[in-house]
């Protein structure tokens, strides 16, 4: 097995550096340092210093440009005029004071810090006429999409800071599934207007939105701004779209209620995201929190997420377009964040066709997220995910898997034996469309309640490989389950099952090493199967393994070694 060097442990130097970075940026930062010094931190990979934007002390107030607070009058022009004037004058700070503000799309410009005062609530209008259809991106591909509430392309030295709240008015855009609401909530939603799907299980804000989702055959074969206008409500934008930008700071602000994904930096460099609150209703379709996509060099620190889909998500493009773009997400340090409701707490995929590498996620807390650490892809994506470190992760009350690898996302390419859990999958030829996950390191993982501790669903032609699990304490109903894996190490893993069952079962896997393993509550320790399985070593921390504790497929018995 290729060992990931444990000598690269993260010390207090990293956190001191990041904390210093949190203090070095104010509203007016002409005298502030321009980088977060992480060069001396003992990261497990070499990483350049993250460049922080700097701004002139010049300050413009949107009121001086005609914005009227506490009314429904749009202040779109006032905000954008102030931003434009600030940028043309060499940069500075544009202030949104306390008050209720209604606006259409905000267009960021280089060298501008859009600063929101405490008490500023910026609500994006539900008038879809304010959002033009444009060539944009979604899920990694170029598409026709509505303008984002906040957007910028090809910018440098930009920031959104302060204590204000940006509300994307997502309920004007999103469909809602009946299963995600109480009966009373569903009745109120239906009575508010909109239309239902043919089966009555999905509410849409308009007939155009329903048609675009349910009857795609009716859509124009060659979409244009003109012929897609009747369906624009289905072309939901991400709330904050920043594309090909450099030196980006988001600090202190609340972003909530987005039409689709919330924050989506794409092909950006030198990102600093800190002290953010990111919120969406738990039923929000595509309501991701943060999707870092094909970006390089950044930190995410001290943020809070409570969203309707994945929370902290790493992506790099989808299928052929993502592979041809060839821009991996790399060189990120994600620390000191809390996730409440989400489909996944920390996620890589499923759009990872450009690759993901050199990521450290440390000191994260997940409370009630559907899944904790989630890695997903599918044949056809391609892309390589490697050199990922996850340390000091705490989870509480996880409804599904604490850790999950799923290489069959949104497909039915695998048949799972309902009794043993063994998967029967046809092997395919390795190509550029084959996704790969390898060289990943999990350390100090603590889970107080999950449906399953670990589930890995690999593919036979490219097993999930070179994975280390070290110093883990997990309480769950179901234990460890692996299919099509290779070079997997468990070192000092303590498992407590709330229901009698099998602690660890794995099939068609090679070079599996359990060392200092401990288990409670099981009625069987190990189930080992699959004709391709070989090189298994089993060792318990406080007990001897007896024949009744392990069941092994007869044809591979000589591949299993018990170490006393």
């Amino acid at each position: 097995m290729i060992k990931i060097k444990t000598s690269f442990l993260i010390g207090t130097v990293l956190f001191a550096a990041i904390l210093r970075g949190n203090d070095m940026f104010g509203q007016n930062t002409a005298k502030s340092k321009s980088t977060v010094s992480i060069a001396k931190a003992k990261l497990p990979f070499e990483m350049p210093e993250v460049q922080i934007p700097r701004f002139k002390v010049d300050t413009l107030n949107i009121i001086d440009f005609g914005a009227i607070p506490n009314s429904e009058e749009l202040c779109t022009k006032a905000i954008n005029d102030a931003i434009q004037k600030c940028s043309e004058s060499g940069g500075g700070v544009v202030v949104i004071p306390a008050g209720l503000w209604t606006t259409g799309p905000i267009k960021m410009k280089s060298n501008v810090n859009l600063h929101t005062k405490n008490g500023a609530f910026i609500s994006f209008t539900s008038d879809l006429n304010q959002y033009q259809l444009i060539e944009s991106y979604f899920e990694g591909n170029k598409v026709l999409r509505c303008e984002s509430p906040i957007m910028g392309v090809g910018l440098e030295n930009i920031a959104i800071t302060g204590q204000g709240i940006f509300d994307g008015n997502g309920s004007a855009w999103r469909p809602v599934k009946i299963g995600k609401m109480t009966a009373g909530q569903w009745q109120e939603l239906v009575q508010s207007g909109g239309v239902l799907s043919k089966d009555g299980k999905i509410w849409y804000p308009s007939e155009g939105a329903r048609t675009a989702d349910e009857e795609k055959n009716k859509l124009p074969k060659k979409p244009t701004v003109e012929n897609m206008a009747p369906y624009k409500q289905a072309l939901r934008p991400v709330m904050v779209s920043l594309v090909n930008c450099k030196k980006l700071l988001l600090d202190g602000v609340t972003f909530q209620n987005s039409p689709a994904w919330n924050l989506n930096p794409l092909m950006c460099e030198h990102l600093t995201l800190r002290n953010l609150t990111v919120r969406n209703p738990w039923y929000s379709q595509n309501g991701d929190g943060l999707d870092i996509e094909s970006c390089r060099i950044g930190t995410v620190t001290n943020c809070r997420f409570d969203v309707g889909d994945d929370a902290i998500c790493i992506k790099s493009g989808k299928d052929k377009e993502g592979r041809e773009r060839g821009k991996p997400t790399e060189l990120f340090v994600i620390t000191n964040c809390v996730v409440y409701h989400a489909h996944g707490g920390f996620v890589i995929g499923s759009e990872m066709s450009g690759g993901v590498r050199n990521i450290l996620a440390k000191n994260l807390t997940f409370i009630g997220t559907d899944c904790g650490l989630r890695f997903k892809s599918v044949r056809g994506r391609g892309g390589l995910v490697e050199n990922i470190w996850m340390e000091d992760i705490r989870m509480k009350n996880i409804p599904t898997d604490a850790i999950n690898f799923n290489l069959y996302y949104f497909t039915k390419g695998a048949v799972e034996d309902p009794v043993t859990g063994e998967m029967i999958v046809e092997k395919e030829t390795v190509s550029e469309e084959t996704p790969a996950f390898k060289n990943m390191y999990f350390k100090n993982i603590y889970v107080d309640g999950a449906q399953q501790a670990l589930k890995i669903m690999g593919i036979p032609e490219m097993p999930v490989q070179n994975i280390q699990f070290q110093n883990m304490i997990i309480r769950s109903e179901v234990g460890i389950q692996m299919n099509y894996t290779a070079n997997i190490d468990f070192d000092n893993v303590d498992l407590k099952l709330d229901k009698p069952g099998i602690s660890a079962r794995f099939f068609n896997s090679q070079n599996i090493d359990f060392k200092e393993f401990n288990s409670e509550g099981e009625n069987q320790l190990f189930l080992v199967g699959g004709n391709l399985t070989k090189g298994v070593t089993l060792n318990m921390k406080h007990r001897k393994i007896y024949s009744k504790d392990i069941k092994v497929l007869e044809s591979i018995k000589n591949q299993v070694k018990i170490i006393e």
Side-chain angles (χ1 to χ4, degrees):
M1 175 175 179
I2 300 174
K3 297 289 185 179
I4 301 174
K5 295 184 179 179
T6 56
S7 60
F8 287 115
L9 299 179
I10 312 303
T12 57
V13 179
L14 168 62
F15 297 102
I18 291 176
L19 290 173
R20 285 198 300 273
N22 285 346
D23 295 332
M24 67 173 62
F25 183 86
Q27 177 184 336
N28 302 319
T29 60
K31 296 182 180 180
S32 298
K33 296 180 181 179
S34 61
T35 60
V36 175
S37 178
I38 61 173
K40 295 182 180 180
K42 294 181 180 179
L43 293 175
F45 45 83
E46 293 185 2
M47 177 172 171
E49 291 189 348
V50 183
Q51 299 175 16
I52 305 288
R54 301 175 63 190
F55 304 95
K56 294 170 60 178
V57 296
D58 298 359
T59 301
L60 302 177
N61 192 310
I62 64 169
I63 291 178
D64 296 330
F65 289 78
I68 300 176
N70 309 315
S71 72
E72 295 183 1
E73 184 169 339
L74 292 179
C75 55
T76 314
K77 186 176 186 303
I79 294 175
N80 287 322
D81 284 352
I83 291 173
Q84 182 72 27
K85 177 68 172 179
C86 183
S87 180
E88 290 176 349
S89 302
V93 181
V94 172
V95 173
I96 301 180
L100 300 175
W101 308 92
T102 304
T103 182
I106 294 175
K107 299 179 181 180
M108 294 296 295
K109 300 293 181 181
S110 293
N111 301 312
V112 174
N113 171 13
L114 182 61
H115 184 78
T116 61
K117 292 293 189 179
N118 189 0
F121 186 94
I122 302 97
S123 177
F124 290 96
T125 179
S126 60
D127 178 9
L128 267 62
N129 292 321
Q130 302 300 316
Y131 303 89
Q132 303 304 309
L133 285 172
I134 60 172
E135 289 290 337
S136 185
Y137 294 87
F138 189 64
E139 293 185 335
N141 290 339
K142 289 182 179 179
V143 292
L144 199 64
R145 210 82 181 172
C146 287
E147 289 179 307
S148 289
I150 301 175
M151 57 185 154
V153 179
L155 307 180
E156 186 166 347
N157 208 57
I158 57 173
I160 304 174
T161 64
Q163 300 178 39
I165 299 172
F166 289 93
D167 188 293
N169 213 342
S171 59
W173 300 85
R174 293 187 303 260
V176 180
K177 296 179 178 179
I178 188 173
K180 293 189 174 184
M181 285 191 155
T182 65
Q185 290 171 331
W186 179 254
Q187 184 178 6
E188 182 179 354
L189 179 64
V190 172
Q191 290 176 348
S192 70
V195 298
L196 293 179
S197 60
K198 290 184 176 181
D199 62 7
K201 295 182 178 180
I202 302 177
W203 175 89
Y204 293 94
S206 68
E207 178 60 31
R210 187 203 66 80
T211 300
D213 188 49
E214 286 200 325
E215 301 179 38
K216 292 183 171 58
N217 61 308
K218 292 185 178 181
L219 298 180
K221 297 296 186 290
K222 294 183 178 180
T224 67
V225 169
E226 292 75 22
N227 64 28
M228 289 300 292
Y231 313 103
K232 67 183 299 184
Q233 204 159 14
L235 305 177
R236 296 178 287 141
V238 300
M239 182 169 168
V240 180
S241 174
L242 298 167
V243 181
N244 276 319
C245 296
K246 186 174 182 179
K247 288 197 291 186
L248 160 66
L249 171 68
L250 304 179
D251 188 0
V253 184
T254 295
F255 297 97
Q256 66 179 34
N257 200 14
S258 57
W261 296 350
N262 205 314
L263 308 178
N264 182 210
L266 170 64
M267 296 183 288
C268 295
E269 290 190 5
H270 294 283
L271 291 75
T272 303
L273 282 63
R274 62 194 185 204
N275 310 317
L276 301 176
T277 298
V278 182
R279 302 174 64 241
N280 269 330
W282 73 271
Y283 55 81
S284 55
Q285 195 79 3
N286 307 114
D288 292 24
L290 169 64
D291 292 278
I292 300 173
E293 190 171 7
S294 294
C295 294
R296 298 186 69 250
I297 311 171
T299 59
V300 180
T301 310
N302 194 34
C303 296
R304 301 292 183 267
F305 298 86
D306 193 341
V307 296
D309 208 312
D310 292 328
I312 306 168
C313 197
I314 309 299
K315 299 177 180 288
S316 64
K318 184 176 181 179
D319 300 339
K320 182 179 179 181
E321 190 169 327
R323 295 193 299 271
E324 290 180 347
R325 183 187 302 148
K327 290 183 178 293
T329 292
E330 59 182 341
L331 303 170
F332 271 84
V333 177
I334 300 166
T335 58
N336 304 338
C337 294
V338 177
V339 179
Y340 297 94
H341 187 274
H343 285 184
F346 174 78
V347 182
I348 296 179
S350 67
E351 302 88 29
M352 38 62 72
S353 302
V356 177
R357 62 194 181 203
N358 296 332
I359 307 288
L360 168 67
K362 184 176 177 71
N363 196 28
L364 307 181
T365 302
F366 307 147
I367 305 171
T369 60
D370 292 349
C371 181
L373 299 167
R374 187 183 190 196
F375 310 96
K376 52 184 177 176
S377 189
V378 68
R379 287 163 167 163
R381 287 278 190 270
L384 170 62
V385 175
E386 64 176 343
N387 302 337
I388 313 296
W389 282 259
M390 288 145 289
E391 300 186 359
D392 303 328
I393 312 293
R394 297 163 295 277
M395 308 185 206
K396 177 75 173 179
N397 297 336
I398 306 301
T400 62
D401 305 331
I403 304 172
N404 176 275
F405 288 80
N406 183 3
L407 277 294
Y408 302 89
Y409 188 62
F410 274 144
T411 71
K412 298 180 180 179
V415 177
E416 189 173 314
D417 186 290
V419 178
T420 67
E422 180 177 2
M423 290 183 354
I424 309 301
V425 184
E426 290 293 328
K427 187 175 182 179
E428 296 187 359
T429 302
V430 173
S431 71
E432 65 175 10
E433 297 184 356
T434 306
F437 287 75
K438 67 178 184 179
N439 299 344
M440 302 174 68
Y441 180 46
F442 299 75
K443 182 181 179 183
N444 302 339
I445 312 294
Y446 308 106
V447 181
D448 185 10
Q451 196 278 326
Q452 183 157 7
L454 166 67
K455 186 171 185 177
I456 302 179
M457 301 170 67
I459 51 178
E461 66 270 19
M462 187 64 69
V464 175
Q465 58 187 302
N466 298 350
I467 314 293
Q468 293 186 17
F469 300 98
Q470 183 179 13
N471 299 342
M472 297 170 56
I473 300 176
I474 301 179
R475 181 176 66 83
S476 61
E477 295 182 4
V478 180
I480 296 166
Q481 179 182 348
M482 302 187 298
N483 281 274
Y484 298 111
T485 65
N487 303 332
I488 312 294
D489 282 1
F490 295 88
D491 186 358
N492 192 32
V493 173
D494 196 324
L495 180 64
K496 181 178 180 180
L497 298 185
D498 289 340
K499 293 182 178 180
I502 302 170
S503 293
R505 45 185 167 163
F506 44 95
F507 309 90
N508 295 310
S509 297
Q510 297 83 46
N511 302 326
I512 309 299
D513 185 8
F514 281 81
K515 182 171 64 176
E516 295 288 300
F517 183 58
N518 187 54
S519 178
E520 298 178 25
E522 81 289 337
N523 54 23
Q524 184 177 315
L525 279 176
F526 299 101
L527 172 61
V528 185
N531 289 318
L532 300 177
T533 295
K534 62 181 180 181
V536 176
T537 302
L538 305 176
N539 167 252
M540 300 296 292
K541 184 187 295 185
H542 299 303
R543 57 195 276 195
K544 183 177 180 179
I545 300 176
Y546 295 96
S547 58
K548 66 179 180 62
D549 295 322
I550 178 171
K551 182 177 180 179
V552 183
L553 183 68
E554 187 68 29
S555 62
I556 59 170
K557 277 191 173 182
N558 63 344
Q559 294 294 331
V560 179
K561 183 178 181 181
I562 297 175
I563 306 297
E564 300 296 340

